Amino acid sequence: DEGYDWKNKIDYRSTQIRIDVTITTSEDDFDDEWGFAEDEDFAFASQYFAKNPPTEETLGIPFYPGWIYSPELSAGMSQDDYHYYVFFSSDPPDKVAAFYTQRLNMKPGIVNEFYIFALEGELPVPEEGLVIQPNLAFDGMPQTIITVQKKV
């Protein structure tokens, strides 16, 4: 309190309180905030998805001819209650969607350039689903991303 001189006992009739606060983040909190603590969990999940690739039976759909499975992306997208199996295809999205339209005997919902098939539940957000979309995110990978969402 700079408004009172205690030595001379003078009250300046003003109060100024200065509070300096320094906040530091522990290394664990910093790692959690930036996701570094999850590196071990991600490595474990990647190994799990690589060692346990999905089958037609576990996915509940036929495999698309020539698709490429990505265990790392599958691990990165999956959560405790849902697994997301990510595949790539060199074929355009409309060709992949036509394959599944015929094989699943159902029409997809179409949002922008995304084809969405409800494997369980209803569109627009099925409980389990198949999404086919153009690859706009991963350079050097084939042109179409195929993602199967399965409830665990």
Side-chain angles (χ1 to χ4, degrees):
D1 182 359
E2 297 173 358
Y4 182 74
D5 181 345
W6 66 274
K7 287 184 182 176
N8 298 317
K9 298 187 179 184
I10 300 173
D11 184 359
Y12 296 106
R13 303 249 182 233
S14 66
T15 301
Q16 294 179 354
I17 300 174
R18 180 179 166 182
I19 300 174
D20 292 325
V21 178
T22 303
I23 300 173
T24 59
T25 303
S26 72
E27 187 173 321
D28 289 340
D29 289 342
F30 181 82
D31 287 349
D32 287 345
E33 181 178 343
W34 290 99
F36 297 131
E38 297 172 8
D39 285 347
E40 287 181 22
D41 292 338
F42 176 74
F44 177 77
S46 291
Q47 289 175 0
Y48 172 82
F49 277 85
K51 291 179 181 177
N52 301 287
T55 63
E56 288 184 341
E57 185 178 324
T58 59
L59 294 180
I61 62 170
F63 281 2
Y64 186 77
W67 69 1
I68 301 165
Y69 175 53
S70 175
E72 296 82 14
L73 287 175
S74 298
M77 289 181 60
S78 292
Q79 303 164 5
D80 291 336
D81 51 349
Y82 282 97
H83 283 179
Y84 294 86
Y85 297 96
V86 181
F87 303 86
F88 289 91
S89 174
S90 296
D91 292 335
D94 58 343
K95 183 175 180 181
V96 177
F99 172 87
Y100 282 107
T101 298
Q102 180 185 22
R103 294 291 181 95
L104 299 176
N105 196 28
M106 68 173 71
K107 290 188 177 189
I110 302 172
V111 178
N112 297 324
E113 297 179 54
F114 287 44
Y115 297 88
I116 305 170
F117 292 86
L119 302 176
E120 284 204 16
E122 296 181 17
L123 294 174
V125 183
E127 185 133 344
E128 293 188 359
L130 166 66
V131 176
I132 301 160
Q133 67 191 78
N135 176 13
L136 303 175
F138 303 102
D139 291 337
M141 296 300 286
Q143 67 176 324
T144 299
I145 300 172
I146 305 163
T147 306
V148 181
Q149 171 192 326
K150 296 294 288 182
K151 188 169 185 176
V152 179

